[in-house]
Amino acid sequence: MTQFERCKACGLIMKSSKRYTICPACGVPRSAFEEYRETMSGRRKLILDLHLHPITVHFPQAISTILLLLLAADMAFSIDLSATIKVLAFILPLSAMAAFISGLIDAHARFKKLTTPFIVEKSVLGALFLVLSSLIAAMCHFFGLESPWRYVMLAASAGCVASQAALGTIGIQLMFAKLPGK
């Protein structure tokens, strides 16, 4: 069975090894290391170690930010970016749905329930992001970019970016938290 150590200063968990004389993350001396024993089941640890949610949230973050910039550039400089905007508008709600589902799976694996204040807040913000991204896709499909609806699309896109920022602020606080046990 693999032995682990934890840096008491920064919390880094690493395989026990005499080769580290200092913490590879924060640089404190080896005297700050302590033995660490994993307290969760192998199945839960496997789900969390896949990092599905932290990976999947980067796609809608990037897409919503790029979409906002492209919509603004299309309006401000009369550059025809409609094809790119339409593709991104179609992909955005799909990536948002993947991030939302992976967030629920991650939250359940970490905390065993989805009703804690932070998880509820993240779920509401995630649902808002999903609705806004779906609204953008629907408007792009039904009205196109030549209509006055593009201003609504721009506002919805800004709302997507704002909700992603709020989600990230909460998510960073939860990133390393998890309940022990099975």
Side-chain angles (χ1 to χ4, degrees), residues 9-165:
C10 71
L12 176 72
I13 297 169
M14 62 201 125
K15 289 182 182 176
S16 294
S17 170
K18 302 297 180 198
R19 71 184 182 127
Y20 292 122
T21 57
I22 62 169
C23 175
C26 71
V28 299
R30 181 168 185 73
S31 60
F33 294 2
E34 65 185 0
E35 186 177 315
Y36 176 80
R37 191 168 104 348
E38 187 57 66
T39 57
M40 77 170 67
S41 71
R43 181 176 178 269
R44 279 183 64 212
K45 182 160 175 30
L46 174 66
I47 291 169
L48 295 176
D49 285 350
L50 289 174
H51 301 291
L52 292 177
H53 184 59
I55 291 169
T56 57
V57 299
H58 287 87
F59 293 108
Q61 285 174 345
I63 293 168
S64 62
T65 304
I66 292 168
L67 188 58
L68 176 63
L69 295 173
L70 291 177
L71 280 164
D74 184 71
M75 291 165 56
F77 304 113
S78 299
I79 303 170
D80 184 19
L81 300 169
S82 58
T84 306
I85 290 170
K86 287 178 182 179
V87 169
L88 290 176
F90 175 75
I91 295 171
L92 182 59
L94 300 175
S95 65
M97 179 60 77
F100 188 81
I101 291 169
S102 69
L104 293 175
I105 292 168
D106 186 84
H108 188 266
R110 283 181 194 279
F111 308 115
K112 301 181 184 180
K113 56 184 171 180
L114 303 175
T115 57
T116 63
F118 274 173
I119 302 306
V120 169
E121 192 174 346
K122 279 191 63 119
S123 297
V124 169
L125 285 167
L128 173 65
F129 178 71
L130 187 55
V131 167
L132 289 172
S133 65
S134 299
L135 179 66
I136 292 167
M139 285 188 295
C140 197
H141 177 73
F142 292 113
F143 304 117
L145 298 175
E146 300 305 319
S147 69
W149 288 98
R150 66 184 181 173
Y151 296 103
V152 177
M153 289 173 56
L154 184 67
S157 187
C160 284
V161 172
S163 64
Q164 286 288 312

Side-chain angles (χ1 to χ4, degrees), residues 1-12:
M1 185 168 175
T2 306
Q3 300 289 322
F4 293 96
E5 293 176 317
R6 185 178 77 87
C7 173
K8 290 187 272 186
C10 71
L12 176 72

